[in-house]
Amino acid sequence: MDGVLAKIGLMNRFFLTNEISDNKITKNSEPDFYHHLVDVLRARPGKKIELVSQTELYDVTIENVDEDAITFNEIEKKESHSELPIDVTIVVSNLKSDHTDFLIQKSTELGVSKIIITNFKNTVAKIKDDKKIQRYQKIVQNAAEQSKRLKVPEVEIVNKLSQIDFSQYETKIVAYEESAKNGEKNQLVKSINNTGHGLVAIFGPEGGIDPDEIDSLKQAGFVLAGLGPRILRAETAPLYLLSAVSYQKEMN
Amino acid sequence: MDGVLAKIGLMNRFFLTNEISDNKITKNSEPDFYHHLVDVLRARPGKKIELVSQTELYDVTIENVDEDAITFNEIEKKESHSELPIDVTIVVSNLKSDHTDFLIQKSTELGVSKIIITNFKNTVAKIKDDKKIQRYQKIVQNAAEQSKRLKVPEVEIVNKLSQIDFSQYETKIVAYEESAKNGEKNQLVKSINNTGHGLVAIFGPEGGIDPDEIDSLKQAGFVLAGLGPRILRAETAPLYLLSAVSYQKEMN
């Protein structure tokens, strides 16, 4: 279920909550990991897996599994460059149906650092507090594991767009489809090129961002950037941005 | 339901099967259009809509609706550049669950010209002949209308990868995730930059492309290109490619 190419020997990857201190992980210290590996995957001695702890990647071979702990007989630190070279935070509207699920899963595959889900004036399916946060965290964790990342993106739910503090961000853009139509094409490229360590990008709901919200964002230092001449749905636009960041920063 | 930004006054767009010859469209000549506009949207005189006929865009205002025909009192040809400057054909595996639906919808938003759905050795949910072709054509037509394109992408179902004729394509790539891992980063950029009018890109099924298939494709002139260092799912990889083509060719 994970990739597009033959993955013979591609190992399962697991994110640990704590640092790896020795050759043993107890059920108490990493209950989710223990449950998934032992109860779900029924892993046996000899199985090789990948562990990620504090954004470091380790190849390990299982030595023994008992009811309290898993021990490993080989632990090898590995090089990996699977994180985007800049942090990308996306701020998105909660969306109808399962579109938010989809959006956060795909954004995670494409390297997003942080996802803030919020309510815009035109958000139809308003999200309340952190009712769904666990579900979303599960989705991004699974997607991060499958896409072989070293970081699980943060997910945050904020009641209102105006409650988000954007002061920490170096580069701030609002995805604005009218921009591209009016012939503006360079803002996205400029923003991506000029970003040293991170950018935040805002994507509105299905009904669009209200002009008052646009004004407030401009006052907060945001620039409007088009994402090409076609109208992208709310759940598609962030994927375009993340792909563009990867293409510009990782492939060129 | 369509975009990310305020679309006050954004008009419905309809693709016509035939050329517009005068100020009247009959129910007989465009039954789907008539049904959608009259029975579903209950359009009234005075309503402005967009019509696309033979990749030309027209603004029209409805003058009258009767049981056989719709007449317009204003027809105005409009400039539009909503098509990618190069033709991109994607060849994809049929996928499990609703992932093929998703893939063709999103690819259409992102500007794809043609989608060939086929069975690879590792395709789990094999597709048979053209059983689903009407459903897929409906999805791409809706997505093309919503994303304000001038062309509805072609969809074709071919039983086997080996039955596809690739001789007409100028640039041929296979999305190959191992490439990026091995440090290859430039093939994608080279392929996109060097393409004058069109490229074809192949994306395997969830289980990956078989090494024998890779060999045959190489013999047919395909090059392997990575899409960044993360493992993208089968339905995500084409979206990365299309976004990269747009970013490179439309935004730079």
Side-chain angles (χ1 to χ4, degrees), chain A residues 77-95:
Chain A
K77 206 173 192 172
K78 258 200 330 195
E79 275 287 297
S80 174
H81 302 281
S82 61
E83 291 300 315
L84 279 178
I86 62 169
D87 283 343
V88 179
T89 295
I90 59 172
V91 177
V92 298
S93 170
N94 196 46
L95 301 175

Side-chain angles (χ1 to χ4, degrees), chain A residues 93-112:
Chain A
S93 170
N94 196 46
L95 301 175
K96 286 189 284 188
S97 173
D98 59 354
H99 294 182
T100 303
D101 291 5
F102 161 79
L103 165 56
I104 66 175
Q105 184 195 61
K106 297 301 166 215
S107 298
T108 300
E109 284 177 59
L110 292 165
V112 74

Side-chain angles (χ1 to χ4, degrees), chain B residues 18-33:
Chain B
N18 307 298
E19 248 178 283
I20 296 188
S21 50
D22 61 18
N23 282 22
K24 185 177 185 172
I25 294 176
T26 65
K27 187 175 178 174
N28 278 342
S29 66
E30 303 279 351
D32 290 345
F33 165 70

Side-chain angles (χ1 to χ4, degrees), chain B residues 134-152:
Chain B
Q134 283 188 315
R135 172 187 172 77
Y136 291 150
Q137 278 164 345
K138 190 87 196 154
I139 291 172
V140 298
Q141 168 143 0
N142 287 341
E145 285 171 355
Q146 288 215 334
S147 57
K148 301 288 167 187
R149 291 188 54 179
L150 298 176
K151 272 190 213 162
V152 180

Side-chain angles (χ1 to χ4, degrees), chain A residues 42-212:
Chain A
R42 301 188 177 284
R44 302 251 180 270
K47 186 180 172 67
K48 288 173 191 293
I49 59 172
E50 290 177 334
L51 299 177
V52 178
S53 166
Q54 319 289 312
T55 73
E56 294 287 356
L57 177 64
Y58 302 88
D59 269 3
V60 303
T61 306
I62 297 175
E63 183 184 60
N64 193 42
V65 174
D66 70 28
E67 57 187 26
D68 300 319
I70 302 160
T71 54
F72 307 101
N73 50 18
E74 283 171 51
I75 295 192
E76 197 188 332
K77 206 173 192 172
K78 258 200 330 195
E79 275 287 297
S80 174
H81 302 281
S82 61
E83 291 300 315
L84 279 178
I86 62 169
D87 283 343
V88 179
T89 295
I90 59 172
V91 177
V92 298
S93 170
N94 196 46
L95 301 175
K96 286 189 284 188
S97 173
D98 59 354
H99 294 182
T100 303
D101 291 5
F102 161 79
L103 165 56
I104 66 175
Q105 184 195 61
K106 297 301 166 215
S107 298
T108 300
E109 284 177 59
L110 292 165
V112 74
S113 292
K114 183 172 179 179
I115 302 166
I116 302 175
I117 304 166
T118 191
N119 296 308
F120 291 71
K121 277 197 190 165
N122 295 329
T123 297
V124 175
K126 296 269 197 265
I127 195 164
K128 280 173 205 142
D129 297 329
D130 49 5
K131 220 177 112 192
K132 284 193 161 176
I133 194 81
Q134 283 188 317
R135 171 187 174 76
Y136 292 149
Q137 279 164 344
K138 191 86 194 157
I139 291 172
V140 298
Q141 168 143 1
N142 286 342
E145 285 172 355
Q146 288 216 334
S147 57
K148 302 287 168 188
R149 293 188 54 180
L150 298 176
K151 272 190 211 163
V152 180
E154 277 179 75
V155 185
E156 202 181 310
I157 295 174
V158 179
N159 273 332
K160 273 182 165 183
L161 180 62
S162 59
Q163 291 167 344
I164 304 170
D165 175 15
F166 294 114
S167 59
Q168 57 168 313
Y169 295 100
E170 184 193 357
T171 303
K172 307 174 200 179
I173 64 178
V174 183
Y176 187 50
E177 59 199 19
E178 300 298 318
S179 296
K181 274 208 220 143
N182 299 333
E184 178 280 302
K185 333 193 284 176
N186 294 318
Q187 193 54 60
L188 179 69
V189 176
K190 266 190 231 161
S191 295
I192 293 175
N193 277 335
N194 296 342
T195 303
H197 57 267
L199 68 81
V200 59
I202 295 187
F203 300 88
E206 292 94 341
I209 303 179
D210 187 89
D212 286 349

